[in-house]
Amino acid sequence: MARPLGINAVMAAAVETTYGQTPAAGFFKLPFVSHGLGEEQPLLEDDQLGFGREGLDPTYDVITNDGDITVPVDLRAIGFWLRQTFGAPVTAGPVAGKYTHTFSSGAPLVPSTSIEFGNPDMPIYSAHYGAVVNQLKIAMARSGMLNAALSMIAQGETNPAAVSAAGVLTALQGPRFAQATGSIEIDDVVAASIVSADIGYSNNLDKVEVIRADGRIGGVDPGVARASGTINTRFTDRALYDKARGKVPVKLKFGWAMDGGYSLIFTLPRVFLPKPKRTITGPKGIMAAFNWQASGAVAAQLTVALTNDVASYV
């Protein structure tokens, strides 16, 4: 029997019609960088007295299945995860063979996913069902690989099997967007002094922790949607600092592009910047960090436009 290797691992995912029920078909083969999903069931130390100092058997506690999946921000597969984070998009096109999928924050329901991870080397396969995206985070930098971290809450995991239950897979993968092509706009003006940044979106899921025989949760309820993040800048002028001091909301836009007119753009029309410190830690340039928060008081606090060659994510 061969040792299972990460390089040969396969991830297949499908949209669930009913929460916690794995569909029989419709699975996509998707790329991933790492994953931390898996059922855990801790032990409770026995508290009985009367049988001496040697402890009695422990008791099993409830089952949890929370963890992160790191996926590449690419041309096609990232659309699947955006759909599972925000709900189905509004799609326009085709225009010159390209479609634009627009995802918006604050959907009343967050879709659930069945995600199967398999290692054909052993072989061993198991599916995580009722998996819902709690948080999405993308970090921007000058260079490096562009990835998205998805914090998931799943209901359960199937028993390991030697054969995949995902059936025929549809591959959904494309070229990756590059950190080097990223840009940030503040009030529709390209910002030149930002060193690093990150974009975060949370569905603020609340676990439905009911009493049931299998020890699993009954589901998840979405809470208040929150878009937030950080911007780390070199102090070159007072423009952004003055906006923060003036308590005036700004428009932020984070985006990446590639040849052929393809792009991924996050737009936040109403963002509040806190007043930052101007710390000096040495002889080099002075830095300032803005931990921003978006507001949905006027319109959707976050929209994501993905332009690619995929006709539909519904």
Side-chain angles (χ1 to χ4, degrees):
M1 181 182 295
R3 292 190 300 272
L5 301 175
I7 191 63
N8 294 327
V10 178
M11 178 173 71
V15 179
E16 294 179 351
T17 303
T18 303
Y19 174 81
Q21 295 185 15
T22 300
F27 278 83
F28 293 95
K29 182 180 180 180
L30 301 169
F32 72 104
V33 176
S34 64
H35 93 86
L37 282 175
E39 280 196 340
E40 294 180 300
Q41 189 171 22
L43 297 172
L44 297 175
E45 185 177 290
D46 192 82
D47 60 356
Q48 298 176 82
L49 306 177
F51 286 84
R53 294 184 60 233
E54 297 292 347
L56 301 178
D57 291 349
T59 300
Y60 286 94
D61 202 3
V62 295
I63 292 174
T64 60
N65 190 353
D66 306 343
D68 291 353
I69 302 175
T70 301
V71 299
V73 180
D74 71 352
L75 184 63
R76 302 185 183 99
I78 193 63
F80 177 89
W81 294 115
L82 291 173
R83 183 201 188 283
Q84 296 309 96
T85 303
F86 299 102
V90 175
T91 299
V95 177
K98 294 185 286 292
Y99 301 83
T100 298
H101 312 279
T102 302
F103 305 85
S104 297
S105 60
L109 297 175
V110 183
S112 61
T113 317
S114 284
I115 308 168
E116 182 188 77
F117 291 97
N119 283 95
D121 302 317
M122 185 167 275
I124 184 171
Y125 297 85
S126 64
H128 306 267
Y129 52 87
V132 185
V133 178
N134 188 29
Q135 295 180 338
L136 165 71
K137 185 175 182 179
I138 299 176
M140 296 186 73
R142 183 173 181 270
S143 65
M145 305 305 290
L146 183 60
N147 295 321
L150 301 159
S151 295
M152 313 287 294
I153 298 176
Q155 184 180 45
E157 179 182 5
T158 61
N159 292 326
V163 179
S164 170
V168 178
L169 302 180
T170 301
L172 193 60
Q173 185 268 341
R176 293 171 79 150
F177 289 99
Q179 291 278 21
T181 68
S183 65
I184 300 174
E185 294 182 9
I186 301 173
D187 287 335
D188 297 317
V189 177
V190 175
S193 59
I194 296 178
V195 176
S196 63
D198 64 62
I199 316 152
Y201 177 77
S202 177
N203 281 311
N204 278 311
L205 299 178
D206 180 30
K207 294 182 182 179
V208 181
E209 297 185 295
V210 295
I211 298 172
R212 46 188 284 168
D214 62 5
R216 296 181 173 91
I217 60 174
V220 291
D221 291 334
V224 177
R226 296 291 187 194
S228 61
T230 59
I231 296 175
N232 297 301
T233 70
R234 272 184 179 267
F235 244 103
T236 56
D237 58 54
R238 290 182 48 170
L240 197 58
Y241 183 69
D242 287 345
K243 288 179 185 291
R245 284 178 58 88
K247 302 178 182 178
V248 177
V250 301
K251 177 183 178 182
L252 289 184
K253 185 180 290 186
F254 303 83
W256 300 265
M258 65 175 62
D259 293 342
Y262 302 116
S263 63
L264 175 63
I265 299 172
F266 288 72
T267 302
L268 304 107
R270 188 175 172 84
V271 171
F272 288 84
L273 304 169
K275 179 182 176 182
K277 294 181 179 180
R278 304 189 309 279
T279 58
I280 300 174
T281 58
K284 297 183 179 180
I286 298 174
M287 302 289 293
F290 297 86
N291 296 312
W292 55 266
Q293 294 182 26
S295 169
V298 177
Q301 59 186 295
L302 172 62
T303 58
V304 186
L306 173 63
T307 301
N308 62 12
D309 55 3
V310 177
S312 175
Y313 285 101
V314 176

